[in-house]
Amino acid sequence: MILVFCELKDGKLRKPSAEALSEGRRLADASGQQLGALTVGASADGAADAAKYGADSILTCVAPSLASYSSDAFAAAIASAAKAKGATIVLGAATAMGKDALPRAAARLDAGYAGDVTGLSMEGGKLQAQRPVYAGKAFATTGFTSAVQVATTRPNVFAATEKTGPGAMESVEAPAGDFKAIVKEILAKGGGKVDLTEANVIVAGGRGLKSGENFKILEELADALGGVVGASRAAVDAGWGLSHGIQVGQTGKVVSPTLYIAAGISGAIQHLAGMSSSKYIVAINKDPDAPIFKIADYGIVGDLFEVVPELTKAAKAMGIGAHH
Amino acid sequence: MKILVCLKQVPDTETKIKVAGDGKSLDPTDVKWITSPYDEYALEEGLRLKESAGAEVTVATVGDDKAKDVLRNAFALGADHAVLIKGDGQGDTLATASILAGFAKDKGFDLVLSGNKGLGGDNSAVGPMLAELLGYAQANVVVKLEITDGKFRAEREIEGGTEVVEGSLPAVVTAQKGLNEPRYASLKGIMAAKKKTIEETEVAGHAPATGTLAMTLPAARAEGRKLEGDAASQAKALMDALKNEAKVF
Ligand SMILES: Cc1cc2nc3c(=O)[nH]c(=O)nc-3n(C[C@H](O)[C@H](O)[C@H](O)COP(=O)(O)OP(=O)(O)OC[C@H]3O[C@@H](n4cnc5c(N)ncnc54)[C@H](O)[C@@H]3O)c2cc1C
Ligand SMILES: Cc1cc2nc3c(=O)[nH]c(=O)nc-3n(C[C@H](O)[C@H](O)[C@H](O)COP(=O)(O)OP(=O)(O)OC[C@H]3O[C@@H](n4cnc5c(N)ncnc54)[C@H](O)[C@@H]3O)c2cc1C
């Protein structure tokens, strides 16, 4: 069996999990295996959604003690379901939760692990993973020698394709005992906006913005395009009150949106590492020789303080982003 | 309190990656090696606990002789003990975690600090694997850490915000940018580090469960086109191209 750890939020299957499931379906078809979806929590509301993405069976691990996320409890639940079903491949999305629980589950299963993968295939009955390494400066192919193979899929890379499966529901045993660590509260700061790694459109600003307040013009453009705001490290470190959670680059988020707009960003190698796999890149810079133009599909040489508000105006006039 | 900080030696972030003749590893020519940037936050947190709570800080790396540089640097910053665990620092995450676990078990570390991601391999896996192998609690991608009476409270980064994780020591905590501002080594520290002894040891670990089969460079992105005119016409031309040419919207 190929087992996919699925995250539920507000009674729905999270999109990165739907993407992992779809990829699991594709691999299961390619290798003649069953696809199982696993949910863990105090309720299984939304677990049935997994059938839409091709799950043959939906395993639900439900207990009141699982209401809050716990690394060790969730890892134990994943490993025990994988063992019970004899799964040889365990997948999940490379989200905050997936990246926390799956490596721990892998160690429990004596399994090899490939993190944040952008491609998967079956070769001679074993899994192979394509992964960006050196923060996207290169790609590696990882092969496995262990019996159980664990990988996390990078959000926004794999398509979530609807393909109805039987989705037979089955409950599995919940981990017992004291949990070693547990989430006590969530301090939201993102104002309900999607995370950079899941965004389709990112409008990022650098030192060229000159102040934190000036990021407002980027927010207006991002809102008009249905996107979110990112920043270079120089901007985050400038003491402008920007959260480091929005830093893009080698020591920040590695993103691959459909559209990445870089305003007032020079294009240092560490910044490029984090965004050069974006589908379309737009650069706005007053320096025609800024390195960012070398990788931009569309370049605007000009003063961002003039160009960005005009972009917002043009987007609104054309009704762009209205369907997002 | 006894603290272990795991340090990994990685290519400098400025490095232009070149693939070696074997088609799957990094060509080491001209590569400058540094301590993985996130590990600097881990070490700084350990040193702050040494200063505020009298902790004893041991740093360890799995690697070859060249990796002694990161240990020497940690001595200069204030680490008490430094250990080179001789082995393949690029083995795989499970092998590396099991070697570190084999070293740490029986030594009574209350807190193990590491980076949330080792630059290069980029797996973000050694911390949680190590926690599992040692039977420790874990908090990953941490931007704020408080320790009182054998318990920890950690704020960790999640999508769109942070969440608070609580648990009891012993624990593995992986550091994220924002946790602290790492110090620079003083000349005095650098001189003192020269006299300190790096311990060397060998620890048996799990055989690698994965291997790199190939490494390739991404196709170079072609330079696109520049949009001409004043700001208003550039803006209109861009939105037009995004909509009708790239079909982004
Ligand atoms: C270990 C390490 C890790 C790093 N990690 C990262 C990382 O994760 N992410 C990251 O981004 N960087 C990272 N860096 C930093 C990186 O090297 C650069 O310093 C940084 O990316 C520069 O940010 P910037 O482009 O905003 O600033 P600058 O390089 O200062 O560029 C500002 C740009 O704005 C333009 N500009 C100014 N005014 C205007 C205007 N009015 N209109 C239009 N354009 C204007 C300028 O022409 C210039 O090109 C790292 C560095 C190190 C050493
Ligand atoms: C191109 C390439 C691709 C790779 N792909 C894979 C893969 O798909 N799966 C896999 O399992 N391995 C892979 N590896 C091997 C892996 O990178 C190494 O085993 C490495 O030691 C740990 O991986 P990481 O940097 O990805 O670790 P991460 O889990 O990202 O590292 C987190 C933290 O663990 C600590 N740490 C990591 N390594 C060491 C060390 N040697 N000594 C002390 N502390 C350490 C550091 O504090 C580090 O910040 C790959 C390596 C390369 C070069």
Side-chain angles (χ1 to χ4, degrees):
Chain A
M1 175 186 273
I2 297 180
L3 183 68
V4 180
F5 168 60
C6 292
E7 296 171 46
L8 302 174
K9 196 176 176 203
D10 306 327
K12 287 203 192 78
L13 182 70
R14 288 196 61 202
K15 182 167 168 270
S17 298
E19 294 164 4
L21 260 180
S22 288
E23 185 59 14
R25 180 70 266 165
R26 208 183 57 76
L27 295 171
D29 288 342
S31 57
Q33 298 189 69
Q34 292 277 304
L35 177 68
L38 169 70
T39 69
V40 182
S43 108
D45 286 353
D49 283 357
K52 281 196 246 167
Y53 300 96
D56 293 307
S57 55
I58 301 172
L59 314 175
T60 58
C61 177
V62 177
S65 57
L66 297 169
S68 290
Y69 174 67
S70 158
S71 312
D72 43 299
F74 277 51
I78 295 166
S80 108
K83 270 189 196 140
K85 296 291 164 188
T88 51
I89 295 178
V90 180
L91 304 177
T95 54
M97 192 185 285
K99 289 203 271 192
D100 193 58
L102 283 156
R104 186 162 187 142
R108 229 177 148 87
L109 289 163
D110 245 2
Y113 176 78
D116 218 8
V117 309
T118 52
L120 288 167
S121 59
M122 298 297 298
E123 304 292 337
K126 297 293 278 185
L127 187 66
Q128 275 189 14
Q130 311 306 319
R131 324 183 32 247
V133 291
Y134 299 104
K137 289 179 194 168
F139 285 92
T141 307
T142 297
F144 292 82
T145 51
S146 51
V148 182
Q149 310 155 88
V150 181
T152 50
T153 54
R154 177 178 287 195
N156 251 352
V157 171
F158 297 90
T161 316
E162 293 207 15
K163 183 179 185 193
T164 307
M169 303 282 273
E170 182 186 332
S171 63
V172 294
E173 209 184 320
D178 283 342
F179 302 158
K180 297 180 200 304
I182 193 150
V183 169
K184 287 289 176 184
E185 64 180 309
I186 293 182
L187 312 169
K189 260 192 286 183
K193 294 222 175 100
V194 295
D195 190 65
L196 278 181
T197 53
E198 292 172 35
N200 271 321
V201 176
I202 295 174
V203 181
R207 187 142 47 197
L209 266 289
K210 300 202 169 62
S211 78
E213 292 85 74
N214 289 338
F215 267 74
K216 196 154 173 289
I217 60 171
L218 299 188
E219 252 150 48
E220 285 161 1
L221 178 57
D223 283 347
L225 301 176
V228 297
V229 169
S232 73
R233 171 161 166 171
V236 169
D237 286 357
W240 296 344
L242 301 171
S243 146
H244 54 81
I246 67 167
Q247 180 183 317
V248 173
Q250 191 147 8
T251 50
K253 297 266 161 72
V254 177
V255 299
S256 39
T258 311
L259 174 62
Y260 189 91
I261 301 181
I265 292 177
S266 60
I269 187 165
Q270 297 94 343
H271 188 80
L272 301 188
M275 44 66 77
S276 52
S277 65
S278 304
K279 192 141 184 246
Y280 289 98
I281 296 172
V282 171
I284 305 164
N285 200 302
K286 65 179 184 191
D287 171 9
D289 298 323
I292 188 84
F293 285 122
K294 293 222 157 49
I295 61 150
D297 299 284
Y298 300 106
I300 294 184
V301 179
D303 183 349
L304 72 91
F305 294 105
E306 288 172 25
V307 174
V308 172
E310 288 295 342
L311 285 172
T312 308
K313 224 192 274 173
K316 284 184 179 157
M318 291 168 72
I320 275 171
H323 3 269
H324 287 266
Chain B
M1 184 165 42
K2 285 182 75 177
I3 298 178
L4 173 67
V5 184
C6 304
L7 301 175
K8 186 187 178 195
Q9 192 178 42
V10 302
D12 189 330
T13 58
E14 291 282 349
T15 309
K16 285 217 165 56
I17 302 299
K18 279 181 265 164
V19 182
D22 65 2
K24 60 182 185 182
S25 62
L26 172 71
D27 176 353
T29 325
D30 302 330
V31 173
K32 202 180 125 207
W33 296 85
I34 59 165
T35 303
S36 188
Y38 295 110
D39 300 0
E40 294 183 354
Y41 302 107
L43 176 58
E44 178 64 31
E45 200 63 14
L47 296 175
R48 289 186 187 199
L49 286 163
K50 172 180 170 172
E51 286 151 5
S52 65
E56 185 186 71
V57 176
T58 301
V59 295
T61 188
V62 181
D64 53 19
D65 268 341
K66 159 172 76 57
K68 280 184 181 167
D69 286 349
V70 308
L71 300 174
R72 188 78 60 207
N73 180 53
F75 263 149
L77 291 166
D80 299 301
H81 310 283
V83 185
L84 174 69
I85 308 171
K86 288 189 169 176
D88 185 0
Q90 310 294 337
D92 91 337
T93 53
L94 187 61
T96 305
S98 71
I99 291 170
L100 288 167
F103 168 75
K105 76 168 190 308
D106 308 333
K107 291 204 174 57
F109 291 112
D110 304 287
L111 179 64
V112 178
L113 291 159
S114 79
N116 81 78
K117 176 155 92 173
L119 235 68
D122 289 357
N123 278 292
S124 298
V126 170
M129 285 180 165
L130 183 54
E132 175 63 29
L133 297 174
L134 290 171
Y136 282 18
Q138 82 187 45
N140 239 326
V141 202
V142 169
V143 292
K144 190 170 178 200
L145 178 65
E146 287 160 24
I147 291 180
T148 22
D149 304 331
K151 295 201 162 57
F152 70 88
R153 179 189 181 278
E155 286 180 19
R156 77 179 208 99
E157 213 172 84
I158 56 166
E159 290 83 1
T162 51
E163 66 185 12
V164 178
V165 183
E166 289 182 9
S168 294
L169 298 181
V172 173
V173 171
T174 77
Q176 167 68 323
K177 186 182 174 207
L179 179 60
N180 52 45
E181 212 35 74
R183 69 194 65 193
Y184 293 97
S186 64
L187 191 61
K188 194 167 144 244
I190 294 169
M191 297 314 287
K194 294 199 168 133
K195 297 198 199 86
K196 295 194 179 163
T197 315
I198 292 173
E199 254 176 75
E200 292 184 31
T201 180
E202 265 173 86
V203 179
H206 201 292
T210 66
T212 302
L213 305 176
M215 188 159 89
T216 54
L217 300 180
R221 282 189 90 107
E223 185 164 349
R225 64 186 167 92
K226 297 225 171 80
L227 304 166
E228 308 293 339
D230 64 3
S233 34
Q234 284 172 319
K236 238 196 125 284
L238 176 64
M239 285 304 155
D240 203 56
L242 290 176
K243 189 170 178 177
N244 301 315
E245 206 173 270
K247 303 203 186 315
V248 170
F249 300 108

